[in-house]
Amino acid sequence: MKTINELREESIELLQKMIATPSISRDESRVADVIQQFMLEKGLLVNRQNNNLWIHSSNCMDDRPTILLNSHIDTVKPAAGYTRDPYTPAIEGDCLFGLGSNDAGAPMVSLLAAFRYLIQKEQPYHLIYACTAEEEVSGKNGVESILPQLGHVDLAVVGEPTSMQPAVAEKGLMVLDCTSYGKSGHAARNEGVNAIYEAIPNIEWFRTYKFDRISQFLGPVKMSVTQVNAGTQHNVVPDVCRFVVDVRVNELYTNEELLELIKDRTSCEVKERSTRLNSSFISAEHPIVKRCIELGLKPFGSPTMSDQALMPFTSIKIGPGESSRSHTANEFVNISEIEHGIKTYIQLLDGLQL
């Protein structure tokens, strides 16, 4: 039987190999090869579709519920401020440096270690472990693409750096392309309809409007105008003004519902890029949340997105590492955080009754 110490050492070794293998979003094939080889060497039966890998704990034909353990293998591009090689996995004291070490290498290898530990004995659930691609870009060839192959899932544990505290709610996202129209004319004469002026009341509405439903963990819906573009030259009254709105949605609204409310309350043209990145929430009465509280963990609401947004089933986000280190120069994770992550995942899941 594998011990936690053995699993920790193998996890650190795997994470070092992952750091040394560039895996920018949509270019994860080499790191997927590394992980697949590791799994095969450990005697695990691996499924692969594109750059997504998954393992089943046992035959899932019985009537036990299913828990999915999921984290991602892709990284962002290295930040400009790196002073060390982002692809050199250097250990200094308790710190393991390298791009993707914290987000989300540590949660990924810790979940895999927990999976390997938990399947050493019978559990009251069927367990699936999946490490997937394109999370950083919310790509369609990531976890979303393999959900049909995974079958019914009752609960997902999503590994992201949360200091091993449980995120019980996560904001969703919509990006809106908005357009206000006017009529062109010469700026020197009193003619035309300035599309910028037509846009201003709508931009002000996005800045000031407050939706009624306020989440306990996520607060209100947040809308931010982040880009504006209008005009062709200084002496022409612009007939079109385009602006982009970033909408962070709490769990009390669906993206589709919120979109209709926005369209009803504005006079500009509103086109959504997507409504697929939804908010998520798990009840305080759910068995895994109760166990989190029993272990002294503190539920919170997460403003940052993860692959939870693409999961149409109950999920919770928790993992080793600090969210504040993600996407930063000289990214690192503590070795002790990985060990703590493995142990806590096991404590949360071992014998859990759904």
Side-chain angles (χ1 to χ4, degrees):
M1 185 169 181
K2 281 286 184 181
T3 68
I4 290 176
N5 284 340
E6 289 172 327
L7 291 167
R8 180 199 62 190
E9 293 306 310
E10 292 175 354
S11 298
I12 294 166
E13 179 183 352
L14 173 59
L15 182 51
Q16 288 177 294
K17 290 179 180 178
M18 290 169 57
I19 292 168
T21 309
S23 54
I24 306 299
S25 300
R26 297 195 174 99
D27 187 21
E28 309 98 338
S29 61
R30 287 170 293 172
V31 79
D33 291 342
V34 168
I35 300 165
Q36 184 175 19
Q37 183 60 38
F38 175 88
M39 291 173 168
L40 292 171
E41 290 173 356
K42 304 307 176 187
L44 301 168
L45 182 60
V46 188
N47 301 279
R48 180 167 180 171
Q49 179 177 298
N50 297 321
N51 297 324
N52 305 290
L53 306 167
W54 69 96
I55 318 163
H56 292 268
S57 63
S58 58
N59 190 313
C60 58
M61 298 304 290
D62 58 40
D63 59 358
R64 286 177 296 167
T66 296
I67 298 177
L68 169 66
L69 310 181
N70 171 247
S71 191
H72 65 92
I73 65 174
D74 60 315
T75 73
V76 296
K77 295 178 180 179
Y82 264 91
T83 59
R84 55 172 73 232
D85 182 358
Y87 300 113
T88 296
I91 295 179
E92 298 177 10
D94 191 38
C95 297
L96 171 55
F97 288 90
L99 179 62
S101 57
N102 180 78
D103 184 15
M108 197 223 86
V109 299
S110 298
L111 275 176
L112 179 55
F115 174 89
R116 294 173 61 204
Y117 184 91
L118 291 165
I119 64 173
Q120 294 180 117
K121 70 176 186 179
E122 190 76 9
Q123 297 290 347
Y125 48 77
H126 174 61
L127 199 58
I128 304 173
Y129 172 83
C131 54
T132 49
E134 297 191 4
E135 188 274 344
E136 296 290 3
V137 293
S138 300
K140 293 190 175 182
N141 291 316
V143 69
E144 185 179 34
S145 69
I146 66 168
L147 292 181
Q149 283 78 272
L150 301 185
H152 178 78
V153 174
D154 295 276
L155 170 69
V157 178
V158 177
E160 290 282 348
T162 69
S163 306
M164 283 314 291
Q165 300 300 323
V168 296
E170 178 185 272
K171 282 193 173 180
L173 169 67
M174 280 194 301
V175 180
L176 307 178
D177 291 303
C178 302
T179 307
S180 291
Y181 295 96
K183 182 179 179 182
S184 63
H186 198 297
R189 294 190 291 269
N190 188 22
E191 62 184 29
V193 177
N194 194 315
I196 296 175
Y197 299 157
E198 296 298 303
I200 286 174
N202 291 292
I203 292 172
E204 181 66 7
W205 182 87
F206 280 110
R207 187 181 75 86
T208 60
Y209 189 81
K210 306 296 183 185
F211 287 96
D212 294 336
R213 303 172 203 166
I214 299 175
S215 165
Q216 175 188 355
F217 288 102
L218 298 175
V221 172
K222 186 176 187 300
M223 300 188 291
S224 304
V225 176
T226 54
Q227 294 174 276
V228 180
N229 182 56
T232 57
Q233 58 191 63
H234 77 88
N235 57 351
V236 177
V237 173
D239 57 356
V240 177
C241 179
R242 297 183 174 88
F243 57 98
V244 177
V245 185
D246 178 290
V247 184
R248 302 290 168 157
V249 187
N250 66 29
E251 81 281 6
L252 303 178
Y253 294 92
T254 66
N255 285 355
E256 290 83 359
E257 178 186 13
L258 205 65
L259 178 63
E260 289 308 309
L261 290 171
I262 290 170
K263 287 181 175 180
D264 287 344
R265 288 162 170 75
T266 55
S267 60
C268 56
E269 179 182 274
V270 178
K271 293 184 178 180
E272 72 282 9
R273 295 185 187 177
S274 170
T275 57
R276 59 194 275 268
L277 303 175
N278 288 288
S279 180
S280 62
F281 176 76
I282 185 170
S283 168
E285 298 305 309
H286 194 281
I288 197 167
V289 179
K290 288 184 174 181
R291 186 167 285 192
C292 283
I293 294 169
E294 289 170 3
L295 293 173
L297 307 181
K298 296 181 180 179
F300 74 101
S302 174
T304 59
M305 275 186 26
S306 71
D307 276 336
Q308 278 187 288
L310 301 171
M311 296 178 178
F313 38 76
T314 302
S315 61
I316 189 169
K317 181 168 71 178
I318 181 170
E322 297 280 352
S323 180
S324 59
R325 297 184 204 135
S326 300
H327 306 178
T328 61
N330 301 328
E331 182 181 348
F332 71 92
V333 70
N334 293 324
I335 302 296
S336 56
E337 289 175 316
I338 295 173
E339 180 175 5
H340 177 60
I342 296 169
K343 289 179 178 178
T344 304
Y345 281 140
I346 291 169
Q347 288 175 313
L348 282 175
L349 294 166
D350 196 8
L352 183 69
Q353 297 279 352
L354 295 185

